[in-house]
Amino acid sequence: MTDHVWLSNAYMDTRIKLFVETDVNAANPENASKAQQLNNNGAPVPAELCPSKIWASEGAADYDQMPAGSMPELFYARGHWIVSEKAAAVLRQFDLGGGALYPLREGVFGKDQKARVAGEFFTWIFGNLKRTFLPDQTANKMPFGVAGLRWNLPWKLKDGDIAVSSAALIGPDVWLDDTLFDAIFLSQPLGDALVAAGLKRAFHLHKARVISVSEGI
């Protein structure tokens, strides 16, 4: 597939939704909820709404007891998407538009909040919205909400299942589409760079077909 962008269906993987607490949620749950809503809508999120510190909740694995480097490269922490330094190093090479990578300045901790987990981590803000999804060219889509207005990804997503218009090739390298639920889109160059860095599985990446206007007629 030569004409493609990438999309991540990481939202659908419950294994990377970690049981954690964050300093922003502990201090002001309304701010945490606002940050989550903005990011889910593809809007910019101010740094002050994002965590500086994350720690394991009761009942979760005690992250500071895990071997160094064993934290996921991408994980979900109480409404915030968190990436490792390895992943951030790739992302920051590209046009994030209204998106951002905010460092967890204090870091990730175990349950007692004393021992810090090795490595640097960042809150990943998507920050951009493009409406390029082509439901008429996507056979395996599933309805979501109001019929014909919004769609869900297939349960078993494969390369080429999702079709987007060539407008996806314009603008920032990361975006959401409010007509396709729980999909994070990445440009071909950014997705290719993540794959080259060995992060394809961590980011749950799949190719989406790019269709020109003439092809869709």
Side-chain angles (χ1 to χ4, degrees):
M1 186 182 303
T2 55
D3 293 324
H4 69 271
V5 295
W6 293 88
L7 70 86
S8 167
N9 64 342
Y11 270 108
M12 300 174 72
D13 187 355
T14 58
R15 296 169 297 178
I16 60 174
K17 295 181 178 180
L18 304 188
F19 292 100
V20 301
E21 184 56 272
T22 71
D23 57 346
V24 66
N25 185 70
N28 190 328
E30 289 185 3
N31 280 346
S33 178
K34 182 178 180 181
Q36 179 180 10
Q37 183 176 15
L38 287 170
N39 205 31
N40 287 345
N41 289 339
V45 182
E48 59 268 23
L49 297 184
C50 297
S52 294
K53 180 180 180 181
I54 288 175
W55 60 94
S57 301
E58 290 300 322
D62 209 353
Y63 304 126
D64 63 320
Q65 302 300 314
M66 295 166 60
S70 60
M71 289 292 289
E73 305 285 358
L74 170 69
F75 61 92
Y76 194 67
R78 270 197 173 270
H80 302 277
W81 283 101
I82 309 298
V83 298
S84 67
E85 169 57 36
K86 178 180 179 180
V90 176
L91 290 166
R92 65 169 63 101
Q93 296 177 46
F94 292 85
D95 178 11
L96 300 182
L101 293 164
Y102 296 131
L104 269 69
R105 293 187 300 273
E106 294 186 55
V108 178
F109 289 79
K111 295 174 185 176
D112 62 7
Q113 301 185 53
K114 295 179 180 178
R116 179 170 175 166
V117 175
E120 300 296 324
F121 299 90
F122 301 79
T123 301
W124 183 23
I125 302 303
F126 310 131
N128 306 290
L129 193 67
K130 302 181 190 179
R131 285 188 174 177
T132 64
F133 174 56
L134 297 175
D136 291 344
Q137 303 291 330
T138 301
N140 296 324
K141 62 187 181 294
M142 298 190 299
F144 176 84
V146 180
L149 296 181
R150 204 174 187 198
W151 304 92
N152 250 329
L153 291 167
W155 282 112
K156 293 185 178 180
L157 183 64
K158 303 187 299 296
D159 282 354
D161 276 349
I162 303 302
V164 298
S165 73
S166 54
L169 306 178
I170 303 169
D173 290 291
V174 178
W175 70 96
L176 303 185
D177 188 320
D178 60 1
T179 65
L180 185 60
F181 189 62
D182 282 355
I184 306 165
F185 284 95
L186 309 169
S187 69
Q188 180 177 346
L190 173 51
D192 289 351
L194 288 169
V195 171
L199 295 169
K200 181 179 181 180
R201 179 171 293 184
F203 273 70
H204 297 69
L205 294 179
H206 302 268
K207 292 179 180 179
R209 292 175 289 127
V210 176
I211 298 178
S212 69
V213 173
S214 59
E215 286 179 291
I217 294 175

